[in-house]
Amino acid sequence: MTLGLDTAVGDGPQGPDGPEVPVGGASEELPAGWARATLGELGEWFGGGTPSKKRPEFWTNGTIPWLSPKDMGPDVLAATQDLIHEAALDEAPVKLVPAGSVALVVRSGILERKVPVTYVPFEVTLNQDMKAVVPYRGIDGRWLAWAIREREQYILENCRKRGTTVASLEVPWLMSAEILVPPHEEQLRITAEVERQIARIQAGEAAAGAALLNAITLSEQVTTQGSRGCLEQVELFSAPLPKADVDDGPIPDLPAGWKWSRLGEFASVVGGVTKDSKRQDDPRYVEVPYLRVANVQRGQLALDNVTTIRVPPEKAETLRLKCGDVLLNEGGDRDKLGRGWIWGGQIENCIHQNHVFRARVIGNEIHPKLLAWHANGFGKAWCDRNGTQSVNLASISLRKIKLLPVPIPPREIQEELVKTIELHLQNVAVARAMAESALAHAQDLRASLLHAAFTGALVPQNPADEPASALLDRIRAEQQAKAPRKRTARKPRTAPPGQEELPS
């Protein structure tokens, strides 16, 4: 799969790894006609606010877009889902931002990894987690949006507040971030070329994304159909399953010799440990690693961040995981219910928390992989139907998970069936790896493109363009002229005019 980037990126001076001018203008020499400025010098900054939800008239028959972080796409405005009434503009926190602004998110969990920013061609209002900058005359808004994207890594490393619950940017630090400014005409040339190249990259990303989705879907089909013996054309028969007080939904037919059974009939299923914060200092307790919902993914275990817990020795012994145990999530987001995978003994003396079930197959009734694959496929919809939902948490009870219907194949075919499924998965994994590699390459192309664009290597400089230094001098002069004059404080008098004390 090819993700094209035209040779224009390499038109400027090249080193062995790309343009010689470092990112962010750290070099002593600037491209011809360029100058340095801070983001705060390039436009007027606007804050946001939320109209009162207690005033329905502010949110009825609205015509003014109200942007929040959810509306931001990777390169452009993804959507404008909320409209407010102009009456809301009378509220102090809500300000109308002129068309042609650059909006960016300054408070959101997404700031842990990226800074959403976009050019907005129409009038908008913003929520309190966003800022907008309206460029001064001579600064192209679309160029400025791309320039901020190019500085994303610098902003994340140098402008993000530390120690806050939700990731956020320190706006004064953001406004003081320095960028390189080309002449106005070159800004337009850069923007046109960047957007032409980005369109090509996006086309490649769309193809790679579709291929990745197809690979994921095919992988799920292989495990779901394979765990029911349906990878090949076989005759299917109705297999009985006694009713239980759960919603099983449609029960698929099975090949000859297969049967339906409920999880608790052939596996020991237990919940995990609940952390007792008040007794973590108990000297009798032992410290052991334990798995949380985040560690138990669909079809794999994520063990790069496993925490520890102190529990009674007998609890550590009872819940110690053994190779072949199938781990299934009890709670979390609704789409996480029942997802899981098999413990392979990667960590000694590891146990599991109360939001993770452990199913230990009794008497080799079923291969653990067949059980895990089935739980991740059929079990996903089954747990969704039978789970419960609180305000922030979905869960399924131990009693109910024991009633999960599971297809049991004849023992003599199970090993060969697992090998067949894994062979199909290996073939799908090749296609998935290619798609993931293409998407990663697209990110590299974006970085290279923006690096070239904002170090003067993407489009040629034109000596006839007005230098950026002259443009910035004009902007600074105009803003200084608009600034209110500071009144000089007078020295306080000790007596009214005309009544000053005379020396004695």
Side-chain angles (χ1 to χ4, degrees):
M1 184 176 298
T2 300
L3 295 172
L5 182 64
D6 289 355
T7 54
V9 172
D11 287 346
Q14 296 286 310
D17 299 314
E20 293 177 347
V21 184
V23 173
S27 65
E28 294 182 359
E29 294 186 9
L30 298 177
W34 290 43
R36 290 185 175 87
T38 64
L39 287 175
E41 293 180 288
L42 301 182
E44 181 180 1
W45 287 68
F46 288 76
T50 301
S52 173
K53 299 291 185 178
K54 297 179 180 179
R55 302 280 298 275
E57 65 270 21
F58 291 161
W59 299 93
T60 305
N61 299 323
T63 59
I64 303 172
W66 182 76
L67 302 187
S68 63
K70 71 179 186 301
D71 300 321
M72 304 290 280
D75 295 319
V76 296
L77 198 64
T80 53
Q81 300 177 12
D82 298 303
L83 298 173
I84 62 173
H85 195 276
E86 61 181 10
L89 297 178
D90 295 333
E91 286 209 341
V94 185
K95 295 182 176 63
L96 188 64
V97 181
S101 67
V102 177
L104 63 160
V105 176
V106 295
R107 185 177 185 273
S108 171
I110 199 172
L111 292 170
E112 295 289 348
R113 57 187 185 278
K114 68 181 283 86
V115 181
V117 56
T118 191
Y119 173 74
V120 186
F122 43 79
E123 290 184 325
V124 295
T125 54
L126 311 167
N127 91 338
Q128 65 275 8
D129 296 329
M130 298 185 67
K131 296 290 182 184
V133 53
V134 178
Y136 294 135
R137 184 168 58 90
I139 302 298
D140 181 68
R142 299 171 76 91
W143 170 85
L144 182 58
W146 288 112
I148 295 174
R149 290 189 193 101
E150 193 275 336
R151 294 292 275 157
E152 180 177 74
Q153 196 57 41
Y154 173 88
I155 291 171
L156 290 176
E157 293 175 358
N158 296 279
C159 303
R160 199 164 57 194
K161 291 183 182 179
R162 305 298 176 187
T164 55
T165 304
V166 179
S168 59
L169 300 179
E170 189 73 70
V171 176
W173 297 351
L174 178 63
M175 294 176 67
S176 66
E178 189 178 76
I179 64 172
L180 302 186
V181 181
H184 176 70
E185 292 301 320
E186 189 171 347
Q187 294 173 30
L188 302 180
R189 295 195 298 272
I190 289 172
T191 299
E193 184 61 20
V194 164
E195 294 182 350
R196 187 177 75 86
Q197 301 273 17
I198 285 291
R200 291 168 58 85
I201 295 173
Q202 287 175 332
E205 282 180 316
L212 178 59
L213 181 59
N214 288 338
I216 293 172
T217 301
L218 182 55
S219 178
E220 292 175 351
Q221 289 174 346
V222 166
T223 55
T224 299
Q225 297 297 322
S227 62
R228 293 208 300 265
C230 300
L231 281 180
E232 299 177 356
Q233 192 74 23
V234 295
E235 188 175 0
L236 301 177
F237 303 89
S238 176
L241 176 68
K243 294 289 185 181
D245 60 340
V246 287
D247 182 3
D248 288 327
I251 297 297
D253 294 342
L254 299 174
W258 289 54
K259 66 178 182 179
W260 282 101
S261 184
R262 296 198 183 272
L263 180 60
E265 295 173 351
F266 63 84
S268 170
V269 188
V270 300
V273 64
T274 301
K275 187 172 184 178
D276 186 350
S277 301
K278 297 180 180 179
R279 303 193 64 181
Q280 288 298 292
D281 294 331
D282 191 321
R284 193 176 68 88
Y285 280 27
V286 295
E287 186 173 6
V288 292
Y290 80 122
L291 301 185
R292 299 161 293 132
V293 170
N295 301 123
V296 183
Q297 301 292 315
R298 197 175 303 281
Q300 63 179 350
L301 298 179
L303 302 178
D304 53 335
N305 184 19
V306 175
T307 58
T308 60
I309 188 172
R310 293 180 60 81
V311 296
E314 58 273 15
K315 179 70 73 173
E317 180 63 30
T318 301
L319 294 180
R320 181 181 292 123
L321 295 172
K322 295 181 179 180
C323 290
D325 287 343
V326 177
L327 300 166
L328 304 170
N329 281 335
E330 172 269 347
D333 296 335
R334 200 166 189 87
D335 65 342
K336 296 179 177 61
L337 296 185
R339 80 176 184 188
W341 194 235
I342 303 156
W343 180 247
Q346 297 92 328
I347 303 173
E348 290 186 2
N349 300 320
C350 193
I351 65 174
H352 54 107
Q353 71 163 184
N354 58 310
H355 294 306
V356 176
F357 295 126
R358 182 201 73 197
R360 182 171 294 165
V361 177
I362 301 170
N364 297 321
E365 181 71 9
I366 186 173
H367 195 292
K369 286 187 177 180
L370 294 175
L371 171 57
W373 285 328
H374 173 72
N376 285 324
F378 176 94
K380 180 180 180 181
W382 188 90
C383 288
D384 183 61
R385 286 195 301 273
N386 292 284
T388 59
Q389 181 74 51
S390 63
V391 177
N392 297 315
L393 185 69
S395 63
I396 188 164
S397 68
L398 177 62
R399 183 188 69 82
K400 284 189 175 181
I401 199 67
K402 289 181 179 181
L403 297 175
L404 172 68
V406 180
I408 308 292
R411 253 180 230 187
E412 62 270 17
I413 72 167
Q414 290 188 21
E415 287 291 342
E416 193 61 33
L417 179 58
V418 169
K419 290 179 182 178
T420 301
I421 293 173
E422 290 182 330
L423 181 61
H424 281 79
L425 290 177
Q426 288 173 10
N427 294 331
V428 175
V430 173
R432 179 168 181 167
M434 291 177 62
E436 290 174 339
S437 176
L439 288 172
H441 182 52
Q443 291 302 313
D444 292 340
L445 286 176
R446 283 172 179 266
S448 296
L449 170 66
L450 294 181
H451 176 76
F454 294 95
T455 54
L458 182 63
V459 299
Q461 283 77 52
N462 186 344
D465 292 339
E466 179 191 46
S469 57
L471 167 63
L472 293 173
D473 286 345
R474 186 166 59 251
I475 288 174
R476 289 163 181 151
E478 290 175 354
Q479 296 312 305
Q480 187 174 1
K482 291 179 181 178
R485 293 184 178 180
K486 294 182 179 180
R487 299 181 64 183
T488 304
R490 295 182 178 181
K491 186 177 181 179
R493 296 178 178 273
T494 57
Q499 299 182 22
E500 292 86 350
E501 293 182 5
L502 299 176
S504 55

